[in-house]
């Protein structure tokens, strides 16, 4: 294959790997074929606890582990100082910074290169965009000869594509982390949440929305569309979703609408709020999302754990139980009756609860409890 065609093939594979990180090792393998490389490595580190990755080809995993644990400082590795001084996109040949005799005498050579019969080495900083730093390296055996000028220039021509591929990979990784974080937050909401695209098709359901739909009592999903069980309500729901989607796509002005959905079981209706996700919100969710549907089921019993109320406010078990019942909407007289205590005893407990939570009235207490972390688990 002509050199230009081979380079274009590498470039194509680099951008494929940018979209599918599991392809990086295979891409490095193909680059290694062209350069007669014995080992190749692409390492992305991050100042954060997550957000980096490493890919290698033809390398013993123990070699990489030893390198990362013992040979990443200038004192231990003669290549680190030049690496730190080089600008991103620079490729360094070992022979240009360290002669054969000095290299052979180094602990780095004897621990890393010699056991694996490696000698020639090209490496360089591919990316330096805080918090990420990326380094590429390729080595080969003595019998393969020193990397010549043509190989050096060929690798330099590939470097900008490696840089861009890594930038794409890291951006997709950040977006995926953000999506997972948001999904985790939505799982704690005390209502079902459905995210829809511009055509009303479901992109995401939180666990509570999945449970409500699985019950097949008032709401379902057909051809990825939310569908109400009642035909008249189904038409109205479709209309509200269409209005919200138009606004989400910048061609409407609906602030959102609410409706109720009757249930086959005869239980109290579901309460539904349909709102647009405007263009500015989409960057925080998923490309193409246009509408959010919030679904509240008044029949679902609240499940705020009393242990959480105790941890937040220092309540006793009995006080936490009373606070939970008040959050559920019970009057203090009802609380006293259900807990088999006198009204005066219940009122005494309530006074202590108000003191511990810093409130003066029961209505303030309920408001603050619902706004607290305890409210996130309120079902």
């Amino acid at each position: 294959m002509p050199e230009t065609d081979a380079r274009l093939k590498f470039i194509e594979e680099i951008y494929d790997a940018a979209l599918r990180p599991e392809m990086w090792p295979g891409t490095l393998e193909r680059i290694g074929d062209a350069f007669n490389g014995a080992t190749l490595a692409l390492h992305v580190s991050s100042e954060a606890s997550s957000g980096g990755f490493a890919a290698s080809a033809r390398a013993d995993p123990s070699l990489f582990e030893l390198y990362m644990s013992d040979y990443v400082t200038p004192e231990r590795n003669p290549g680190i100082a030049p690496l730190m001084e080089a600008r991103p996109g620079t490729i360094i040949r070992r022979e240009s910074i360290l002669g054969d005799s000095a290299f052979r005498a180094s602990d780095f050579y004897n621990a890393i290169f010699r056991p694996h019969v490696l000698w020639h080495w090209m490496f360089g900083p591919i990316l330096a965009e805080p918090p990420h730093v990326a380094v590429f390296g390729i080595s080969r055996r003595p019998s393969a000869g020193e990397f010549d000028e043509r190989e050096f220039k060929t690798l330099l021509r590939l470097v900008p594509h490696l840089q861009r591929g890594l930038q794409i990979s890291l951006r997709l990784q950040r977006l995926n982390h953000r999506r997972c974080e948001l999904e985790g937050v939505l799982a704690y909401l005390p209502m079902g949440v459905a995210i829809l695209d511009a055509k009303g098709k479901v992109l995401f359901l939180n666990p509570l929305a999945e449970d409500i739909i699985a019950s097949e009592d008032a709401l379902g999903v057909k051809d990825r569309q939310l569908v109400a069980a009642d035909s008249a309500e189904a038409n109205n729901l479709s209309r509200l979703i269409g209005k919200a989607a138009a606004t989400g796509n910048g061609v409407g002005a609906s602030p959102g609408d609410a409706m109720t959905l009757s249930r086959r079981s005869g239980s109290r209706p579901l309460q539904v709020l349909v709102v647009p996700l405007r263009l500015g919100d989409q960057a925080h969710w998923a490309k193409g999302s246009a509408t959010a549907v919030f679904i509240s089921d008044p029949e679902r019993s609240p499940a705020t754990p009393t242990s959480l109320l105790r941890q937040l406010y220092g309540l006793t078990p009995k006080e936490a139980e009373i606070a939970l019942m008040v959050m559920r909407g019970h009057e203090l007289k009802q609380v006293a009756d259900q807990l088999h205590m006198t009204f005066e005893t219940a009122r005494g407990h309530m006074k202590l609860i108000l003191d511990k939570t810093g409130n003066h009235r029961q209505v303030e207490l309920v408001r603050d409890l619902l706004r607290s972390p305890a409210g996130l688990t309120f079902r």
Side-chain angles (χ1 to χ4, degrees):
M1 180 184 293
E3 180 185 340
T4 300
D5 292 344
R7 194 163 64 245
L8 289 174
K9 180 64 175 175
F10 294 150
I11 292 169
E12 180 183 340
E13 288 204 31
I14 286 169
Y15 289 111
D16 285 342
L19 299 176
R20 297 174 58 192
E22 68 273 12
M23 293 180 63
W24 277 115
T27 299
L28 294 178
E29 283 272 3
R30 254 76 71 192
I31 294 175
D33 290 340
F35 287 89
N36 200 13
T39 66
L40 297 95
L42 182 62
H43 180 247
V44 183
S45 60
S46 174
E47 297 170 3
S49 59
S50 61
F53 68 89
S56 62
R58 305 172 181 170
D60 185 333
S62 63
L63 176 69
F64 183 73
E65 291 175 8
L66 178 61
Y67 177 88
M68 292 304 297
S69 64
D70 293 349
Y71 293 96
V72 291
T73 63
E75 295 77 19
R76 300 281 287 167
N77 181 346
I80 295 298
L83 186 68
M84 294 172 66
E85 295 171 359
R87 71 180 187 277
T90 301
I91 294 297
I92 302 166
R93 282 180 282 193
R94 189 271 297 169
E95 290 82 358
S96 68
I97 61 168
L98 195 66
D100 290 356
S101 297
F103 184 46
R104 187 176 288 110
S106 70
D107 181 50
F108 176 64
Y109 164 75
N110 285 284
I112 300 293
F113 275 63
R114 184 179 178 182
H116 298 275
V117 197
L118 302 173
W119 182 247
H120 305 288
W121 183 26
M122 282 198 299
F123 63 97
I126 299 298
L127 196 67
E129 296 181 359
H132 295 104
V133 175
V135 177
F136 173 80
I138 178 171
S139 60
R140 64 189 187 191
R141 307 194 188 286
S143 58
E146 183 178 343
F147 291 102
D148 61 28
E149 192 66 19
R150 180 186 60 83
E151 292 171 316
F152 178 73
K153 290 180 177 178
T154 298
L155 185 57
L156 279 177
R157 285 192 285 268
L158 287 177
V159 164
H161 301 287
L162 284 169
Q163 289 175 321
R164 190 58 179 156
L166 287 174
Q167 288 170 334
I168 293 169
S169 274
L170 292 170
R171 178 168 177 78
L172 291 175
Q173 188 181 74
R174 287 194 298 269
L175 290 174
N176 187 56
H177 286 167
R178 180 177 293 177
R179 178 183 62 81
C180 291
E181 290 165 357
L182 288 172
E183 288 184 5
V185 170
L186 291 178
Y188 277 96
L189 291 182
M191 61 187 67
V193 180
I195 306 295
L196 316 179
D197 68 12
K199 295 183 179 180
K201 294 188 179 297
V202 174
L203 295 173
F204 168 80
L205 296 170
N206 75 346
L208 189 51
E210 291 178 343
D211 288 348
I212 291 171
I213 288 168
S215 70
E216 300 181 343
D217 196 14
L219 188 65
V221 174
K222 183 178 181 181
D223 297 327
R224 291 183 56 205
Q225 305 269 354
L226 286 180
V227 180
D230 179 87
S231 59
E233 292 173 353
N235 290 334
N236 191 31
L237 178 61
S238 178
R239 181 180 62 83
L240 298 188
I241 291 173
K243 286 173 58 181
T247 302
N249 284 281
V251 293
S254 172
D257 297 278
M259 65 177 294
T260 59
L261 298 178
S262 56
R263 305 167 79 157
R264 293 189 177 102
S265 63
S267 299
R268 287 182 292 172
L270 296 180
Q271 300 163 352
V272 175
L273 175 65
V274 183
V275 298
L277 290 176
R278 293 174 175 81
L279 294 175
D281 300 324
Q282 292 187 23
H284 299 291
W285 183 253
K287 184 177 180 181
S289 59
T291 308
V293 180
F294 297 93
I295 311 156
S296 178
D297 182 355
E299 295 291 344
R300 287 187 176 256
S301 300
T304 303
T306 55
S307 60
L308 183 55
L309 291 172
R310 293 174 60 189
Q311 292 169 12
L312 289 171
Y313 303 107
L315 304 182
T316 66
K318 183 61 68 178
E319 289 166 353
E321 188 176 6
I322 292 171
L324 180 59
M325 294 180 69
V326 169
M327 286 177 73
R328 290 173 174 172
H330 294 291
E331 296 293 336
L332 197 55
K333 180 65 169 64
Q334 294 175 298
V335 172
D337 291 342
Q338 291 189 33
L339 296 181
H340 308 291
M341 63 177 62
T342 67
F343 179 72
E344 289 302 318
T345 300
R347 190 161 65 177
H349 281 301
M350 179 54 64
K351 184 179 184 304
L352 291 172
I353 293 169
L354 291 172
D355 289 342
K356 290 181 178 181
T357 58
N359 289 288
H360 300 287
R361 295 187 300 160
Q362 190 170 316
V363 65
E364 294 172 351
L365 171 70
V366 173
R367 179 201 63 197
D368 285 358
L369 293 183
L370 290 173
R371 289 177 178 175
S372 75
L376 290 176
T377 58
F378 197 78
R379 294 285 190 266

